[in-house]
Amino acid sequence: HRRFDYRPKTDPYCQARYTFCPTGSAIPVMKKEDVIEVYRLQAPVWEFKYGDLLGHLKIMHDAVGFRSSLTGKNYTMEWYELFQLGNCTFPHLRPGIDAPFWCNQGAACFYEGIDDAHWKENGTLVLVTTISGTMFNEMAEWVKYDNETGIYYETWTVQASPDKQSTVWFDSYECSKFILRTYQKLADLGAVFKKIQTNYTSIILFSGEPIYLGNETSIFGPLGNKTLAAAIRDFYNPFKPHQTVSEFFVDLVRIIDRVILNHQFYLFYNLEYWFLPMKFPFLKIIYEEVPLPVGSKESFGI
């Protein structure tokens, strides 16, 4: 996943139904002698609206919790879409604008408190490691860098087949990937994680070798490829980036139908368009184990 120099300003056209990070706050500076507990948090996506419905499908949202021993304060940190999931997955087709218009950014959100009931009821709230205040502060610096340079949400993982060793053409970039990067950073700083099973959700598309098509200008610009531009617009046409979850899933069924009937998918990734020659089983939602990290050897001298 490509890193960018800065986060672009959001277009006023992009409106979120739910405010991004409504109670967010700056990450505090911890005293270096503090001992901070780190918690793995996981619950079904959109639980606030649909309860455990998506838990049965194992479509989970991940976050990380912290508890300071010195102050007794709890904190939650997570990474999610600025304009909800539909907008990150499908573009808007705006009248008078040839190119599909993407309202797609993801970012970290940090706030005081851990909503114990939310994470425990249908999900997970479990201690995974303890770190020093110094490690926490170094992690906070890294979060700032990660947040400013990894800006686009990517729903799909794309790989060659369901085999474990299969080629991954494109990796997703969503809430769980941020949590995994955070754990890895903590491990590199010297954190030692408990030996517990940790599973994550991935939405995987299966495709032959992707074909590079170009960027917005080369396809939709004045010297662009009119036929290709029309094909991409036509592909995205049924999939409006609706706000409601039920409509999102209706679109998902439609997209699967199209993908399976025509073996086609147009992917927008790191501001570029790719054609995916889709193949069986086309799409899978998996909930699989990703072990907690082990620090790099040199980290323990820190």
Side-chain angles (χ1 to χ4, degrees):
H1 195 274
R2 185 174 145 202
R3 294 268 160 197
F4 292 84
D5 295 336
Y6 64 95
R7 184 178 286 278
K9 275 201 162 56
T10 59
D11 191 292
Y13 179 84
C14 299
Q15 296 294 323
R17 173 169 283 203
Y18 308 107
T19 311
F20 174 79
C21 204
T23 59
S25 57
I27 304 182
V29 176
M30 300 293 190
K31 292 208 162 83
K32 51 176 190 279
E33 68 274 18
D34 202 348
V35 175
I36 293 149
E37 295 174 334
V38 182
Y39 293 90
R40 163 177 155 77
L41 309 176
Q42 189 177 65
V45 166
W46 293 304
E47 188 184 33
F48 63 93
K49 202 165 176 212
Y50 293 91
D52 192 28
L53 169 71
L54 296 173
H56 296 299
L57 298 172
K58 290 293 181 208
I59 300 180
M60 308 296 270
H61 175 68
D62 297 272
V64 60
F66 302 98
R67 183 178 178 279
S68 158
S69 302
L70 282 182
T71 65
K73 284 184 174 176
N74 294 322
Y75 303 93
T76 302
M77 183 168 75
E78 53 190 326
W79 197 93
Y80 60 101
E81 325 89 41
L82 267 63
F83 314 107
Q84 275 77 66
L85 185 60
N87 279 311
C88 295
T89 311
F90 308 118
H92 294 259
L93 299 179
R94 294 173 71 177
I97 299 176
D98 206 22
F101 184 82
W102 294 85
C103 289
N104 177 7
Q105 281 191 38
C109 173
F110 187 95
Y111 52 95
E112 193 171 327
I114 293 176
D115 180 353
D116 286 38
H118 170 72
W119 302 105
K120 275 182 182 163
E121 209 161 287
N122 296 308
T124 304
L125 193 163
V126 62
L127 180 70
V128 288
T129 188
T130 51
I131 58 172
S132 67
T134 304
M135 284 152 85
F136 179 92
N137 296 337
E138 288 178 335
M139 177 210 72
E141 282 303 307
W142 168 83
V143 168
K144 194 164 163 262
Y145 156 79
D146 186 78
N147 215 29
E148 284 168 0
T149 60
I151 50 184
Y152 295 111
Y153 189 100
E154 181 53 55
T155 305
W156 317 104
T157 294
V158 184
Q159 60 187 57
S161 79
D163 300 342
K164 275 267 187 274
Q165 275 69 48
S166 155
T167 303
V168 176
W169 305 116
F170 298 98
D171 218 341
S172 61
Y173 199 82
E174 28 67 8
C175 65
S176 70
K177 291 293 196 292
F178 172 74
I179 301 307
L180 290 166
R181 289 197 302 280
T182 302
Y183 289 161
Q184 187 59 58
K185 182 66 189 174
L186 291 175
D188 291 343
L189 291 169
V192 179
F193 284 86
K194 292 177 179 294
K195 299 271 188 289
I196 52 170
Q197 184 167 341
T198 51
N199 288 53
Y200 299 90
T201 302
S202 293
I203 304 179
I204 303 181
L205 300 175
F206 298 103
S207 157
E209 186 163 348
I211 298 157
Y212 176 70
L213 300 175
N215 62 21
E216 189 176 293
T217 310
S218 71
I219 298 169
F220 298 95
L223 303 173
N225 180 331
K226 294 277 182 283
T227 315
L228 179 57
I232 292 173
R233 283 182 69 87
D234 180 56
F235 174 77
Y236 283 125
N237 194 43
F239 320 123
K240 308 292 181 289
H242 294 299
Q243 302 291 2
T244 73
V245 176
S246 52
E247 286 171 316
F248 175 80
F249 280 99
V250 167
D251 276 351
L252 201 54
V253 168
R254 276 190 189 156
I255 211 163
I256 292 165
D257 187 49
R258 225 171 214 229
V259 160
I260 289 173
L261 287 176
N262 302 331
H263 289 214
Q264 293 179 341
F265 193 99
Y266 288 96
L267 180 74
F268 187 59
Y269 191 90
N270 283 343
L271 305 182
E272 295 172 326
Y273 285 94
W274 296 78
F275 175 77
L276 305 181
M278 299 296 289
K279 57 189 204 188
F280 185 81
F282 305 106
L283 181 144
K284 239 181 174 175
I285 295 170
I286 61 163
Y287 185 66
E288 68 174 2
E289 183 179 9
V290 181
L292 286 161
V294 175
S296 51
K297 294 282 184 284
E298 64 275 14
S299 68
F300 295 111
I302 288 173

